Amino acid sequence: MLIIHPSDASSTYSHYLREILGVEGFSDVQLCPVAQVTSARLKSQAVVFVVRMAVSVELRQMFLEYVTAGGNLVVFHPDDAFARALGITTTRRTMMHGTVNITTPPHSSESIPLHIPAALWNVGDADVVATMQHGNVTAPAILKRRIGAGIVLAYAFELAQTVARTRHGDPALAGMSTGGLDGVMRPSELFVHQLDPQRSKVPVADLLTAHFALEIDALAPQPRIWYYPCAGQTSTLIMTSDDDWSSPADFRVMIDALDQYDAHCTFFLVPQSHISPGALPAWQHTGHSFSLHPAHSRDADMGLLTDLPATDYATMLGGSFERHNRVYGSPARTVRNHAVRWLGYVDAARLLASHGVQMDFNYLPVAPYFWSLCGSGRPMRFVDADGAVLDIYQQPTNWTEECLIHPEYVFSFKWNTTLAIAVTDEYIDAAATRYYSPVTVNSHPVSFASYSRPLIEAHWKAAERNRMPIISAQEWLDWTMSREQIHLTWVGNELRMSGDAAIPHATILLPPGTTPSIPGQTVTRWGKTYKTVSLSLADGESKVIATRG
Ligand SMILES: [Zn+2]
């Protein structure tokens, strides 16, 4: 159960914590407004999450009684009085710009930058789960403490807020040119000063949320929905292709190659695309899909229009959607903008959602950043600086060929293909074996047909080597939405799975002490062994997947 405080501005990111729990596979997280918290309601909860908020003396007492009686309480940057009531030794000071180091494997080798202030605590009699450091000061970042029969897991920082900042950049930079590039406003401009180019190769937000999930597993083991449909799958390669006025011949070259690898791709078509609606069905037949690459009407004729006034952004998008819907007659559910043009902090996402887009692919690193601009490969909904969660997924794109090997572009590393293959291979292998994060790549048909084919084919080979299916943006969106509507409910000693709609395929990681009702694989993830069940459900179907004992 996740406590929310609708009227407390300091609990801004509480709804985003539910997004984090969802992406980590915890289903059916209940939200409880602070006014509805009662001792009786707390008593029945396996874990209670309290985001940063004003906690009254009465409420503090209820939380303490819940823990003392054997409950599991997870608190994020509690105020001083609440922290002290939980037996934490506060210093009444704050650490800025800290870096978190998790003390336990498998996450202990990475340091994770915090983009928000954190409470400076002493260790006291607690166990240190993670430390944080700034300059020569080291302090606990995550503590665990036994109170009576229960346990408190205390974060010195607001997890949801630092994940939001890691994934979206700094709201103070919205609308500002910061990168010194070509005058196009891109999402990467929001990350200047926040992201160290040398350390932008690691999906640090994914490490932080995966570690959080493991801690919950340890406190109160629960079934979790695996990141991917199949138990043996540890990553996926999501293929996207920005049209950029490529010729039909270029499309054929790329699609023939994709078909040889049994790879699927979503092509984002520009307005004034050279691809006619009549060409699509044959390509859709082999698993590809087509959506929109919004562009300005002048981009095609006169080259990329830089310095687009922010006031013209909505018109640019509106014109692109109007034309796409009229010409192709199919909604654009996934999108990447030409030149990844962005607006404001998440204003562009809000506009895209208003046009029916469900998953955005615009967060793409351009030099000097590497492939983890958002510190994540995972799909999560956008969140605004005021904590409002938008109904559109932010799916980071890891790289596009032109940023790695194009010999001229201002935003290219200008690597040779051999070097680019070596570094991207390393990333894909790590995604599949260490982070379990998806990898999203863009390749333009015109680039594939003219210079980038050896690099892109190397990605497909790396995916094959790691048993990562190569799927389209559309398929990834469908899976993400399907996964999110899975329900896992204990009824007595039986664990039941159901969905709001049919579930084509999904895998559940079972907690220890359960027996699968359906034969399934045993897998090792994050160094832990899980029994799994994998299954499909028809619309309206509900199935017992495991029993206790
Ligand atoms: Zn483009």
Side-chain angles (χ1 to χ4, degrees):
M1 187 165 80
L2 169 57
I3 313 294
I4 55 169
H5 199 321
S7 60
D8 181 355
S10 69
S11 72
T12 293
Y13 288 94
S14 54
H15 291 273
Y16 200 55
L17 186 66
R18 181 159 74 166
E19 294 294 310
I20 291 174
L21 288 163
V23 86
E24 290 301 333
F26 297 99
S27 76
D28 305 293
V29 177
Q30 289 176 48
L31 293 186
C32 179
V34 73
Q36 293 171 24
V37 175
T38 61
S39 296
R41 191 152 177 206
L42 288 176
K43 211 170 159 183
S44 61
Q45 299 299 320
V47 194
V48 172
F49 301 96
V50 184
V51 297
R52 179 161 173 72
M53 65 169 70
V55 175
S56 66
V57 174
E58 296 76 30
L59 201 57
R60 201 194 293 164
Q61 195 54 35
M62 274 194 262
F63 288 138
L64 267 179
E65 281 164 14
Y66 163 71
V67 183
T68 309
N72 297 296
L73 184 68
V74 183
V75 296
F76 302 94
H77 201 158
D79 64 31
D80 240 50
F82 188 26
R84 284 173 179 254
L86 297 171
I88 295 167
T89 332
T90 69
T91 67
R92 300 203 162 99
R93 285 187 292 139
T94 298
M95 180 182 280
M96 301 291 288
H97 312 296
T99 300
V100 173
N101 288 286
I102 293 161
T103 49
T104 47
H107 294 117
S108 47
S109 57
E110 311 290 353
S111 45
I112 302 167
L114 286 182
H115 302 297
I116 54 170
L120 198 59
W121 294 336
N122 289 326
V123 179
D125 61 355
D127 292 335
V128 178
V129 176
T131 60
M132 62 185 181
Q133 203 168 352
H134 180 65
N136 53 14
V137 179
T138 301
I142 310 172
L143 288 177
K144 204 187 276 189
R145 211 175 161 266
R146 182 163 282 284
I147 301 180
I151 290 177
V152 171
L153 180 69
Y155 279 68
F157 57 93
E158 179 61 281
L159 173 72
Q161 189 182 5
T162 198
V163 170
R165 279 290 305 272
T166 305
R167 292 180 62 106
H168 298 76
D170 185 351
L173 299 179
M176 296 179 189
S177 278
T178 60
L181 298 175
D182 55 3
V184 173
M185 298 302 292
R186 297 183 174 87
S188 55
E189 308 265 321
L190 295 163
F191 293 81
V192 172
H193 314 300
Q194 164 169 321
L195 190 59
D196 173 359
Q198 294 313 310
R199 286 176 46 192
S200 58
K201 290 184 218 170
V202 178
V204 287
D206 292 352
L207 291 177
L208 209 50
T209 60
H211 173 262
F212 170 56
L214 286 180
E215 288 297 323
I216 302 170
D217 264 356
L219 282 181
Q222 287 169 69
R224 286 171 62 189
I225 308 158
W226 178 231
Y227 299 131
Y228 304 100
C230 299
Q233 188 185 344
T234 56
S235 181
T236 194
L237 181 63
I238 303 161
M239 259 327 283
T240 64
S241 177
D242 295 350
D243 171 354
D244 285 24
W245 304 276
S246 300
S247 71
D250 294 335
F251 270 79
R252 272 193 295 276
V253 169
M254 184 162 171
I255 288 174
D256 284 349
L258 282 159
D259 290 348
Q260 283 171 30
Y261 285 81
D262 197 19
H264 298 168
C265 179
T266 293
F267 293 87
F268 296 122
L269 301 178
V270 285
Q272 286 92 37
S273 174
H274 300 305
I275 303 305
S276 66
L280 306 191
W283 291 335
Q284 285 162 334
H285 186 71
T286 52
H288 309 294
S289 54
F290 296 85
S291 193
L292 172 62
H293 194 47
H296 195 273
S297 54
R298 281 179 43 192
D299 290 338
D301 315 325
M302 304 171 69
L304 180 64
L305 175 68
T306 54
D307 302 311
L308 176 76
T311 46
D312 290 359
Y313 193 91
T315 313
M316 182 274 293
L317 275 190
S320 295
F321 277 91
E322 186 278 322
R323 193 178 185 285
H324 181 86
N325 295 342
R326 180 162 42 79
V327 174
Y328 298 101
S330 57
R333 297 174 61 208
T334 56
V335 153
R336 186 181 300 108
N337 297 333
H338 184 49
V340 292
R341 277 196 186 100
W342 199 245
L343 180 71
Y345 191 47
V346 295
D347 303 31
R350 202 170 256 122
L351 280 171
L352 290 168
S354 76
H355 286 288
V357 176
Q358 293 165 305
M359 187 176 268
D360 174 81
F361 287 80
N362 276 301
Y363 278 64
L364 179 155
V366 301
Y369 301 117
F370 288 90
W371 20 85
S372 222
L373 183 70
C374 303
S376 175
R378 300 200 195 291
M380 283 179 67
R381 285 190 176 77
F382 279 93
V383 60
D384 206 341
D386 66 357
V389 173
L390 313 189
D391 198 13
I392 171 171
Y393 293 103
Q394 176 203 34
Q395 174 57 58
T397 302
N398 291 98
W399 61 82
T400 175
E401 73 236 311
E402 61 190 330
C403 284
L404 305 188
I405 58 172
H406 195 283
E408 285 154 27
Y409 285 142
V410 61
F411 46 71
S412 171
F413 289 127
K414 304 178 180 66
W415 290 340
N416 66 45
T417 300
T418 310
L419 174 62
I421 290 174
V423 283
T424 50
D425 266 8
E426 194 183 323
Y427 185 83
I428 294 170
D429 292 348
T433 57
R434 294 187 59 197
Y435 308 133
Y436 313 134
S437 292
V439 180
T440 305
V441 170
N442 179 53
S443 172
H444 306 74
V446 61
S447 311
F448 186 90
S450 57
Y451 72 92
S452 69
R453 180 171 184 154
L455 173 65
I456 304 300
E457 281 204 63
H459 301 339
W460 298 343
K461 290 191 181 102
E464 281 185 342
R465 188 171 66 236
N466 287 293
R467 286 186 288 174
M468 296 157 62
I470 305 170
I471 65 171
S472 68
Q474 174 72 54
E475 288 167 320
W476 182 241
L477 169 62
D478 287 343
W479 157 247
T480 301
M481 294 182 72
S482 168
R483 177 177 186 258
E484 201 176 63
Q485 46 88 34
I486 294 172
H487 302 291
L488 298 169
T489 326
W490 284 104
V491 182
N493 280 330
E494 291 181 341
L495 178 63
R496 282 197 162 268
M497 174 165 148
S498 61
D500 295 336
I503 298 158
H505 203 70
T507 291
I508 311 300
L509 305 179
L510 296 173
T514 49
T515 308
S517 308
I518 306 161
Q521 287 183 45
T522 298
V523 298
T524 302
R525 303 286 177 249
W526 308 281
K528 287 178 63 179
T529 304
Y530 292 88
K531 288 178 195 163
T532 70
V533 288
S534 299
L535 70 160
S536 315
L537 286 183
D539 194 5
E541 196 181 0
S542 162
K543 225 176 221 172
V544 175
I545 60 167
T547 50
R548 259 194 254 267

